[in-house]
Amino acid sequence: MLHLNVLQEAVQPEGNRNFKGLSDKISTVCRELEVPVVAKEVGNGISVDAAVRLQRAGVRAIDIAGKGGTSWSAVEAQRAKKQGQQADTAFADWGIPTEEALVNVRKALAEIPLIASGGIRSGVDIAKSIALGADIAAMGQPLLAVALESADQVIESLVGVIHELKVSMLCVGATNLAELRAAPLLRQTAGF
Ligand SMILES: Cc1cc2nc3c(=O)[nH]c(=O)nc-3n(C[C@H](O)[C@H](O)[C@H](O)COP(=O)(O)O)c2cc1C
């Protein structure tokens, strides 16, 4: 998994800002490695342009990791403040929202496996992600929070998430994830 965390590196005092020739380097990694390469953002969203270029470079799946959950630029600002440095909060809200990145990348690339992440907080969020075109979904912060308590709490939390996903599927009449993917999307209209 290659993390494309440009903003985080840019705002991190000790960040690695050498982004030169990155597309070619990603192509080389994809060609040389014997395992499939996945590319991911870390909470600022993969754009359509980036997704197309990543697929051309040989990436086999993309985690769109959009805005809406953990903001690493906000984390870096907090870290700087704790270290007595100036906290730059200008980029705390930067990025493509998760649902927007997901819908647009799926529209542009019909086949590539997509992971939805960035603000996924429940099985309902996972169900929505899959209906919007993701193949799977991922969570960062909520699992860290329970992992700090115990392994059992992580399991308990995931059992709850799976239950929420199953109930969501029941309510839309989807017996498997493929049917959930094909579930009709309704937009709330004025008057409801
Ligand atoms: C403390 C922390 C550490 C993380 N470390 C990794 C990691 O090592 N590898 C990875 O693929 N994702 C990691 N993530 C998850 C992604 O950065 C994730 O896309 C981002 O946090 C947004 O998702 P969230 O809102 O669910 O946290 C981490 C998340 C957190 C909160």
Side-chain angles (χ1 to χ4, degrees), residues 37-39 50-64 102 105-115 133-136 181:
V37 173
V38 180
V52 169
R53 288 173 66 184
L54 287 166
Q55 194 188 39
R56 277 194 203 129
V59 159
R60 296 270 293 279
I62 295 172
D63 181 342
I64 51 107
L102 176 60
V105 171
R106 175 53 79 214
K107 220 188 285 175
L109 303 173
E111 302 292 336
I112 197 162
L114 288 182
I115 304 166
D135 294 274
I136 57 174
R181 257 313 268 286

Side-chain angles (χ1 to χ4, degrees), residues 1 3 40-43 63 65-66 68-72 117-121 138-142 144:
M1 254 200 191
H3 287 204
K40 82 183 289 287
E41 237 292 342
V42 297
D63 181 342
T70 303
S71 163
W72 288 106
S117 77
I120 303 291
R121 296 293 177 261
M139 282 191 240
Q141 190 277 334
L144 173 68

Side-chain angles (χ1 to χ4, degrees), residues 32-90:
E32 299 288 328
L33 280 185
E34 286 167 11
V35 293
V37 173
V38 180
K40 82 183 289 287
E41 237 292 342
V42 297
N44 303 108
I46 295 277
S47 67
V48 169
D49 178 55
V52 169
R53 288 173 66 184
L54 287 166
Q55 194 188 39
R56 277 194 203 129
V59 159
R60 296 270 293 279
I62 295 172
D63 181 342
I64 51 107
K67 185 183 85 166
T70 303
S71 163
W72 288 106
S73 35
V75 170
E76 293 300 340
Q78 284 296 321
R79 203 160 68 97
K81 207 164 110 187
K82 269 195 181 160
Q83 290 169 356
Q85 297 159 350
Q86 206 181 340
D88 184 358
T89 53

Side-chain angles (χ1 to χ4, degrees), residues 1-166:
M1 254 200 191
L2 301 176
H3 287 204
L4 305 177
N5 61 335
V6 174
L7 174 59
Q8 186 186 11
E9 297 294 342
V11 298
Q12 207 173 45
E14 68 278 21
N16 176 352
R17 299 178 184 82
N18 177 12
F19 305 119
K20 206 170 172 190
L22 204 53
S23 293
D24 289 341
K25 287 178 187 165
I26 293 174
S27 296
T28 306
V29 168
C30 293
R31 213 173 33 246
E32 299 288 328
L33 280 185
E34 286 167 11
V35 293
V37 173
V38 180
K40 82 183 289 287
E41 237 292 342
V42 297
N44 303 108
I46 295 277
S47 67
V48 169
D49 178 55
V52 169
R53 288 173 66 184
L54 287 166
Q55 194 188 39
R56 277 194 203 129
V59 159
R60 296 270 293 279
I62 295 172
D63 181 342
I64 51 107
K67 185 183 85 166
T70 303
S71 163
W72 288 106
S73 35
V75 170
E76 293 300 340
Q78 284 296 321
R79 203 160 68 97
K81 207 164 110 187
K82 269 195 181 160
Q83 290 169 356
Q85 297 159 350
Q86 206 181 340
D88 184 358
T89 53
F91 292 97
D93 196 34
W94 182 277
I96 310 170
T98 296
E99 63 276 22
E100 204 175 316
L102 176 60
V103 167
N104 289 333
V105 171
R106 175 53 79 214
K107 220 188 285 175
L109 303 173
E111 302 292 336
I112 197 162
L114 288 182
I115 304 166
S117 77
I120 303 291
R121 296 293 177 261
S122 68
V124 180
D125 288 343
I126 295 174
K128 288 178 181 172
S129 304
I130 290 172
L132 288 174
D135 294 274
I136 57 174
M139 282 191 240
Q141 190 277 334
L143 293 179
L144 173 68
V146 282
L148 291 173
E149 300 298 325
S150 70
D152 281 345
Q153 292 218 23
V154 175
I155 293 167
E156 201 179 304
S157 163
L158 287 174
V159 166
V161 167
I162 292 166
H163 179 69
E164 289 158 2
L165 173 59
K166 286 182 171 172

